[in-house]
Amino acid sequence: MWKLARVAATRLTRSRRFSTAIPGPCMVHKRGTDILHDPWFNKDTGFPLTERDRLGLRGLLPPRVISFEQQYARFMESYRSLEKNTQGQPNSVVSLAKWRILNRLHDRNETLYYRALIDNIKDFAPIIYTPTVGLVCQNYSGLFRRPRGMYFSAKDKGEMMSMIYNWPAHQVDMIVLTDGSRILGLGDLGVQGIGIPIGKLDMYVAAAGINPQRILPVMLDVGTNNQKLLEDRLYLGLRQPRLEGEEYLEIVDEFMEAVHARWPKAIVQFEDFQMKWAFETLERYRKRFCMFNDDIQGTAGVALAGLLGTVRAQGRPLTDFVNQKIVVVGAGSAGLGVLSMAVKALSRMAGNSEAGAGKQFFLVDKDGLVTKERNNLDPAAAPFAKAPGEIVGLREGATLHEVVKKVKPHVLLGLSGVGGIFNEEVLKAMRESDSTKPAIFAMSNPTLNAECTAADAFKHAGENIVFASGSPFENIDLGNGKVGYVNQANNMYLFPGIGLGALLSGARSISDGMLQAAAECLATYITEEEIEKGILYPSVDSIRHITAEVGAAVLQAAVAEELAEGHGEVGPKDLQNMSKEEIAKYITANMWFPVYSPLVHEK
Ligand SMILES: NC(=O)c1ccc[n+]([C@@H]2O[C@H](COP(=O)([O-])OP(=O)(O)OC[C@H]3O[C@@H](n4cnc5c(N)ncnc54)[C@H](O)[C@@H]3O)[C@@H](O)[C@H]2O)c1
Ligand SMILES: O=C(O)C[C@H](O)C(=O)O
Ligand SMILES: [Mg+2]
């Protein structure tokens, strides 16, 4: 059933490639070189002669008109020759070279860029998104050529309501916002963190079909506590320590009010905020605005889908989730987000009683096993802290190795940001797991921050494991024709669908029910045959299809909870009356796809 739907969708995408159907016109308020310098409208040598006449472009381009297909082939040729020419060079050099060539196209011709991205998403996602985006953020001040998105700084206090009107697009649907304080597992990168919203929004365009003219990456620069950056003469952000307390919140409040005033229906995704502000801003805004925190909520849904998939992969009924022993390493925004969503799922399974739910979860942070005896126990971690004596033989602060040895978990899940902490000793201890097919999730990003590599996991924990990582790794050749399958457990499988469903339903806010629907949709997407091979998540190649499905599930949940206020011409009543099939059609019909539209000049 699932399989059939996916094949049909692939065909749909293929037939749209270079389709001959004439797309609708696009209004442009510029002429001449202003159009050539605007990547939203620029077609380079692809402008037909009639359009060159209409838009004052005659003579500004070489005379021959090159088709979109030829332009695409030309770009891919230069990309492939760059790949060939950089063979054998260090990974970081190759990745940055690839990022540069893609970035140049992005800056010049967005239609061609997004077509290349959509058609080659498996190859390009690791360049424009995780892990290379981390390297780009680390080197941002040096790589900077032209701005992308908007920058609101502590110095703009009192000005944001007018500044927001400096953005040239009339409509914005999707905003990704960061303050740069916890960029992947790389720490505080200040203004350089802008690369993250840019990468996330590229995934929104590629996976969810959000129109790139309606996206807005935003950096809230409230300073940085990264001493190296403060001393770097090339650093492009404010050279001051981060604002704290009320001063900080006033900046975020002002930004949220400004966005809401200009684009009341825009969805704001909070990304890579340090934990204290991640939780606080989520609570502060989630009822008032249509927003969510991807690291807490998107990650939780992706992890939950993987945890449920693991139960199936271990050959047990889903209801057995209540008996899964899970060790979560990292008590930050992501780790705690995962635990609280997993506990909610458990209590639903147990008939909505939270009593005792989660007893089989174990939380380990930088100071070891988290128990109620912990000095200054973080209130957010408290519900998952073990009571004294709850696990015989384990004390407060027990090491990860001790915990794994004692608990013999079915799942070991890392969201610590610390590369290599699932070391040989810890991985070998997983061989004594109570499951014959234990799961290891090394979810921290980027690659060097993963808790272990895929190769080490299969080598030390055994060939029977189920493995997932936040950053991509190649599948592992286990010899004798056997393959150790590597899943990518990354929130990219959910955030685009959450945003898409929220947008097209016109949701007032993003509820737990909508997020739960997203996670369930992802969990049920994988077939039994796939699960048997240890496949927990779809291939990145099908991200556009899974995103449409997640979007539909989120929209349906918004309608069911009466949060859907409608989108454009489609009112709340229309949404309520749509069948499942109509919802699916409505979603796909509203997903932008890159083709050159005829440009019509409007004064
Ligand atoms: N795969 C995904 O989709 C995904 C999603 C979100 C976050 N992440 C990754 O998860 C990591 C953490 O993100 P976060 O927002 O929770 O960060 P955070 O800073 O809020 O939390 C990090 C946690 O790790 C703990 N920790 C630090 N050193 C440790 C050690 N040696 N042993 C055990 N625990 C240790 C800290 O005590 C803290 O609780 C980052 O690398 C991020 O890239 C991945
Ligand atoms: O950005 C990613 O790849 C996932 C996640 O949001 C993270 O912060 O690591
Ligand atoms: Mg993130």
Side-chain angles (χ1 to χ4, degrees), residues 50-71:
T50 47
E51 212 163 67
R52 295 182 187 199
D53 278 339
R54 276 206 316 274
L55 302 173
L57 293 170
R58 239 182 213 261
L60 299 180
L61 289 160
R64 205 173 131 218
V65 178
I66 304 290
S67 70
F68 191 45
E69 293 84 330
Q70 287 170 315
Q71 289 183 324

Side-chain angles (χ1 to χ4, degrees), residues 309 312-315 437 464 466 485 526-536:
R312 289 166 70 198
Q314 293 175 344
K437 210 170 187 181
N464 263 348
V466 177
Y485 189 83
I526 299 296
T527 61
E528 283 308 320
E529 298 99 282
E530 287 169 323
I531 284 282
E532 271 166 32
K533 292 184 198 143
I535 300 176
L536 306 176

Side-chain angles (χ1 to χ4, degrees), residues 154-199:
K155 297 269 187 289
D156 297 318
K157 192 153 185 274
E159 300 297 328
M160 296 186 197
M161 201 55 97
S162 55
M163 278 168 75
I164 197 88
Y165 287 90
N166 290 343
W167 186 246
H170 290 298
Q171 185 54 46
V172 163
D173 290 337
M174 234 10 267
I175 293 173
V176 178
L177 170 73
T178 189
D179 69 354
S181 54
R182 191 290 271 146
I183 295 300
L184 306 175
L186 304 169
D188 180 350
L189 293 185
V191 79
Q192 308 198 156
I194 182 70
I196 293 292
I198 294 171

Side-chain angles (χ1 to χ4, degrees), residues 211-227:
N211 186 330
Q213 291 191 30
R214 293 175 168 224
I215 61 173
L216 176 56
V218 175
M219 161 53 60
L220 269 192
D221 184 357
V222 295
T224 176
N225 294 340
N226 182 328
Q227 200 53 35

Side-chain angles (χ1 to χ4, degrees), residues 106 186 377 395 429 470 534:
H106 197 183
L186 304 169
L377 176 61
R395 59 188 160 81

Side-chain angles (χ1 to χ4, degrees), residues 182 184 196 200 271-272 294-295 491:
R182 191 290 271 146
L184 306 175
I196 293 292
K200 293 270 172 187
E271 194 67 52
D272 289 8
D294 181 39
D295 299 292
N491 52 27

Side-chain angles (χ1 to χ4, degrees), residues 129-130 181-186 200 271-276 278-279 293-296 298-300 302-303 328-338 363-368 370 374 378 400 414-418 421 442-446 449-451 469-471 488-493:
Y129 183 68
T130 305
S181 54
R182 191 290 271 146
I183 295 300
L184 306 175
L186 304 169
K200 293 270 172 187
E271 194 67 52
D272 289 8
F273 282 69
Q274 59 180 311
M275 169 161 142
K276 62 176 177 182
F279 282 113
N293 183 297
D294 181 39
D295 299 292
I296 301 174
T299 311
V302 167
V328 173
V329 186
S333 46
L336 295 180
V338 170
L363 183 59
V364 174
D365 72 359
K366 64 177 186 335
D367 300 316
V370 179
R374 171 74 58 100
D378 187 328
L400 175 58
L415 280 162
S416 64
V418 186
I421 51 167
M443 288 181 70
S444 290
N445 297 315
N449 296 67
E451 283 76 8
S469 51
S471 299
Q488 195 177 354
N490 189 293
N491 52 27
M492 69 180 173
Y493 285 116

